[in-house]
Each structure stands twice: as structure tokens, then as C-alpha cells.
Amino acid sequence: MLKKNELTDKHYGKGSKGFYAALGISAVMVAAACLFAHKQGDAIPNVKTSAVKTPIAAETPVGRRVTDIPKATSPAYSITSAIVTAPPVMETIPAAEITVDAPFEVADSFTEKVQPAAAKGLDNACAPLSDISGVIEPFSSGELVKNATTGTWQTHNGTDIAAEVGSDVMAVENGEISSVTNDPLWGVTVVLDHKNGFFTRYCGLGADLAVQQGDKVSRGDIIGAVGQTADIESAEAPHLHIEITHNGAFVDPMTVFK
């Protein structure tokens, strides 16, 4: 009995010591875990107080107050509005009137309006020369033609009729001499006002004239003589350059002469 009890007491003592030892170790582990958790909690920043605040870029002023701007969902881009200036409106020339080597020049002092046919008012007009069969350069009716002297392309607003130098030039109809000039291009020039919207212009005359400004003439009266004073057409044979206008529009002279 004694041995059994001693053995029992020894085992009991060992069991009690092991239990307390395990309890102590557990307490230490719990304390260590609490201390670790406490330290880790201190290491974690407060999200509410330490949240990174991203600076907001200032908007570019636009010169006026803007409200109710929708929130952008993608990066904003600076947009510069370009000022567009409309090009000047250019006159379109039909392709048929354009030649590769042709500079667009018009060397004439009259307006370029063209009247297709002679209007009434010069129904009894006579020819300005005794012979008008030798047409060197006809009326171009607003089309561009190449000038044989200058090489430029321009409208030919009159008719060039071949004639010997000194041939008489006549008034095609009654009227009044409105001007007598020595034009730098067209030479000695006489303009006859028929007082009905029609004007006749004689170019390249000789210096000796039979009329002066203000004279009244009748159909068939001699105005002057054919000369070679029109430098702009000096490459041509001697001729009379004659133009007729009606209310500012050019008329083909050959449709007027009888």
C-alpha cells in the first residue's frame, strides 16, 4: 500500500506541475499575441486621417463663369479653337478659255460686258471704210485671244479691218465727237457719241484729223485717216481698230455696218 501510494503521489505531483507549466506557457503566448497585435495596430495608419489627397489641377480660365460642368470620366485635354477665315471668292473661268501658256490679262479701257447682237439705234449705219472685207482680227465676243504684238491673252472688243495708211475713216452714223485723245496703247483715238446709248470708238488713226471734240457729224462724214499709231497692235498690217458699245456693252461692229 505504501509503495502504491508513493507512486500515486509522485505521478500526481508530476501531473500538477505539467498542467501549471502548460498554463503558464499559454498565458505567455496569449500575452505575446496581444502585444504583437497591439504593435501591429500602431503600425497600421489611420485610413481616414492619413488618406493621400491628390491635388486637383486648377481649371484654365475661359473668360466667363461656367456652372454645371459634368464630371470628367477621362483625362481632360486642352482644346484651342482655331479661327477660320473664309477664302476670298474667286471668279471661275470656264476650262475652254484657259490655255497653259496664257497669262490672264485684259488690256482695254472699256467695260467687258458683251451684247450678243446689235441693238436697234444704228439701223442705217454705214461702214467706216470704203472696203471692210479684209478683217484681220474679228470681235472676240468676250473670249480670250492672244495678242500678236504683246503675246498676252485678252478680249478683243473690236474689229481690226485692213486698210492702207491714209485711207479715209467715216462716221458710221450721226453724232457728236465726245473725245479726241492720243492713247499710250491705242494711239490717236476718236469717240463718237450717237446720243442713243451707242458709242463708236476709232483707234490707231493718223495724227491729222478732220474733227475735234464737240463737233457734230453726220453719217458718212470723214473723221480722219488710217494710221499706225496703236502700239498695242503694231505687229499687224495697217488697219482700223473700231469698237461699238451700246449702254456699256460691246457689240460686234460687223453686225452693225450695212
Side-chain angles (χ1 to χ4, degrees), residues 83-102:
I83 299 175
V84 180
T85 304
V89 178
M90 302 297 289
E91 181 182 358
T92 302
I93 302 174
E97 297 182 4
I98 301 176
T99 304
V100 174
D101 63 344

Side-chain angles (χ1 to χ4, degrees), residues 36-107:
F36 177 80
H38 179 70
K39 289 183 178 180
Q40 288 296 105
D42 290 342
I44 298 174
N46 190 326
V47 176
K48 290 185 180 181
T49 59
S50 62
V52 178
K53 295 183 179 180
T54 303
I56 300 174
E59 296 182 359
T60 303
V62 295
R64 60 185 180 86
R65 187 175 181 81
V66 180
T67 58
D68 300 327
I69 299 176
K71 186 175 181 180
T73 56
S74 60
Y77 296 90
S78 176
I79 300 175
T80 303
S81 298
I83 299 175
V84 180
T85 304
V89 178
M90 302 297 289
E91 181 182 358
T92 302
I93 302 174
E97 297 182 4
I98 301 176
T99 304
V100 174
D101 63 344
F104 183 76
E105 293 186 21
V106 176

